[in-house]
Amino acid sequence: MSKCQIIYTIFLLLTLGLFLGIFFGLGYPEIKRAEYISTYCTINSKTISTKYCCYTECSNCGTASELAPKCTDLKSKWNSLSPDTCTNAVLTNSSLADVCPINDLKGECNDGYYCCSTCCDPCCSNCSCTCSCCSDTSRHSCQLKCPICYSVVLTVTLQKRDNWSYTPITTNITTEFRENINGAEQFLDDYSISSTVQCFYNPKDPFQAFLNVNFAAKTWVAVGITAFFLTITLMIGTWNLFSKNNTILQDYKYRVLIMEIALWCGTIIPPLLILIDLIPFTNGKVLWTLAVIGVALGWAPVHTAACMKKRGWRFISAFTVTIITLILPLIMFSIAAIYASSTDIRTYMIILAIVIPLGVNIIIFVLWDLCVKYKSTILFNNQYKGK
């Protein structure tokens, strides 16, 4: 692989990993929460809960002492402690104070192996660069910081819907505020004891409830930005790939544009439309219809160009054949399957949507050549016998 190919592959993997991480880490949980059932909750009690939320701050290339504990072990240990318990231990001069995250100087930990800097050999134009770690440490020195984080816990009784009746369920609704104690106190003041508020519960686990299931704008802005960079990266890669003149439309003037339309409109965008159907409150039938239309119209230029190149037809003839043998049967039978109320009719329509375009095009591109070859063979034999 050339240097440019290596850089492109790394950038593609980074953008893909970033998109999938943000989508499934932040976006998909919001999609699932949107399926929660709306009901009413009566607030029984409320309180502010505290906990340590530890994180590491590491030096550039410092080495921790041999006695320093592992960062993961120390973080797990300190996060399990209660800030109230540790505060009381300090005030009463208890022995527990020695293991609490009070003094940052006691927070040094060993974060394991760390490469401090990388050195690369000079690169040549036709070969890849060789890089290696030239400065490292086996015990990366880090400081474990443990600020106090706050969350509001509301104990509520919600009404779970069971057919035509309601079942009361008591559970806790927790809202995190990180280190923002003022925000937690303001939130606590907004909800009074014995008041009734709208809430949402998980139909699969009614004890899991939230006060709201709104989509966070910043989450979907982040998903959109990462999707944009991934799309641009894929478009650059596919454009270079199709520009190499090694596709079925070799030497065709508009081959790159045609293959890009087939890839994006006919292959990538339709599954994305189907994925949007996972979001509640969307019209699944409309999305599936748009996906089918995208497949048909996306691959129509490839079909038309192939007819012109392989059969020598004019554009009007080739495009007419594409409409009759690909676009119309695929769209008509697929839409009939999407909107059919009967499972049997839906199955038949799906079979027709696949078999008719596939069968007709096998006749055009495979059996046609076999017939022409057979006819040529007969003519050659007749001419040979005539001689």
Side-chain angles (χ1 to χ4, degrees):
M1 294 177 67
S2 66
K3 184 178 179 180
C4 292
Q5 290 175 327
I6 294 175
I7 294 175
Y8 175 80
T9 302
I10 294 174
F11 191 73
L12 175 62
L13 293 176
L14 287 175
T15 53
L16 179 61
L18 191 61
F19 168 74
L20 294 177
I22 291 180
F23 178 80
F24 287 102
L26 300 177
Y28 189 69
E30 289 192 1
I31 294 175
K32 298 301 294 182
R33 283 199 298 269
E35 299 175 353
Y36 286 10
I37 299 175
S38 174
T39 187
Y40 289 97
C41 292
T42 301
I43 299 176
N44 301 326
S45 63
K46 58 181 183 178
T47 184
I48 293 180
S49 175
T50 60
K51 65 179 181 180
Y52 288 115
C53 41
C54 301
Y55 64 93
T56 55
E57 285 186 355
C58 301
S59 63
N60 291 333
C61 199
T63 300
S65 66
E66 295 182 355
L67 299 178
K70 291 184 179 180
C71 290
T72 53
D73 296 341
L74 187 60
K75 184 177 180 180
S76 176
K77 178 181 178 181
W78 281 1
N79 279 336
S80 65
L81 297 174
S82 168
D84 294 335
T85 302
C86 285
T87 300
N88 292 332
V90 172
L91 294 176
T92 59
N93 205 18
S94 169
S95 59
L96 181 62
D98 295 333
V99 297
C100 286
I102 303 299
N103 189 346
D104 284 343
L105 294 176
K106 294 188 296 182
E108 185 188 24
C109 59
N110 172 14
D111 201 31
Y113 176 81
Y114 178 72
C115 179
C116 305
S117 60
T118 302
C119 301
C120 298
D121 296 335
C123 300
C124 58
S125 57
N126 297 323
C127 59
S128 59
C129 302
T130 302
C131 300
S132 60
C133 186
C134 53
S135 177
D136 60 7
T137 176
S138 60
R139 301 189 308 274
H140 192 202
S141 176
C142 297
Q143 287 289 328
L144 198 62
K145 308 290 185 177
C146 291
I148 298 176
C149 290
Y150 304 90
S151 59
V152 175
V153 181
L154 301 179
T155 301
V156 302
T157 299
L158 60 85
Q159 302 299 319
K160 177 180 175 293
R161 189 183 306 165
D162 292 317
N163 295 327
W164 301 105
S165 61
Y166 290 89
T167 302
I169 292 178
T170 301
T171 186
N172 291 332
I173 298 179
T174 303
T175 305
E176 302 286 345
F177 287 89
R178 295 293 297 176
E179 301 173 51
N180 185 8
I181 179 61
N182 293 329
E185 291 175 344
Q186 179 62 46
F187 184 85
L188 194 69
D189 293 338
D190 292 340
Y191 295 91
S192 57
I193 302 296
S194 299
S195 63
T196 300
V197 296
Q198 184 184 25
C199 59
F200 303 84
Y201 68 88
N202 186 350
K204 297 180 180 179
D205 182 10
F207 290 92
Q208 185 179 14
F210 293 90
L211 291 175
N212 66 75
V213 290
N214 297 329
F215 291 104
K218 60 183 181 181
T219 296
W220 294 101
V221 168
V223 171
I225 292 174
T226 55
F228 172 78
F229 283 111
L230 177 61
T231 301
I232 295 299
T233 304
L234 289 173
M235 291 182 70
I236 293 173
T238 54
W239 188 274
N240 290 332
L241 177 65
F242 295 146
S243 298
K244 292 182 178 180
N245 201 19
N246 57 2
T247 65
I248 188 175
L249 304 177
Q250 186 175 1
D251 298 326
Y252 195 75
K253 183 178 180 181
Y254 301 107
R255 71 180 185 280
V256 178
L257 178 61
I258 290 174
M259 294 303 295
E260 286 286 340
I261 293 174
L263 176 67
W264 291 98
C265 296
T267 306
I268 294 179
I269 294 179
L272 294 179
L273 291 173
I274 295 173
L275 284 176
I276 296 176
D277 187 29
L278 295 174
I279 302 176
F281 317 119
T282 56
N283 193 323
K285 292 183 178 180
V286 172
L287 292 172
W288 278 84
T289 301
L290 292 175
V292 169
I293 293 175
V295 171
L297 298 183
W299 283 96
V302 174
H303 189 277
T304 302
C307 289
M308 294 173 64
K309 184 176 177 61
K310 296 295 184 181
R311 293 286 155 266
W313 296 340
R314 294 178 179 273
F315 171 76
I316 297 297
S317 301
F319 186 62
T320 302
V321 170
T322 298
I323 293 176
I324 296 174
T325 65
L326 177 66
I327 297 177
L328 287 181
L330 182 57
I331 292 179
M332 286 172 28
F333 293 118
S334 296
I335 292 178
I338 291 171
Y339 288 89
S341 57
S342 171
T343 304
D344 293 336
I345 295 177
R346 185 181 297 114
T347 303
Y348 295 145
M349 292 298 104
I350 292 175
I351 292 174
L352 290 175
I354 297 173
V355 170
I356 290 181
L358 187 62
V360 172
N361 284 283
I362 287 176
I363 293 174
I364 292 176
F365 291 104
V366 179
L367 297 183
W368 183 299
D369 289 338
L370 292 176
C371 291
V372 170
K373 184 177 181 181
Y374 179 72
K375 183 178 179 181
S376 300
T377 302
I378 292 177
L379 291 175
F380 176 78
N381 292 335
N382 290 338
Q383 291 177 358
Y384 181 78
K385 290 179 181 179
K387 293 180 179 181

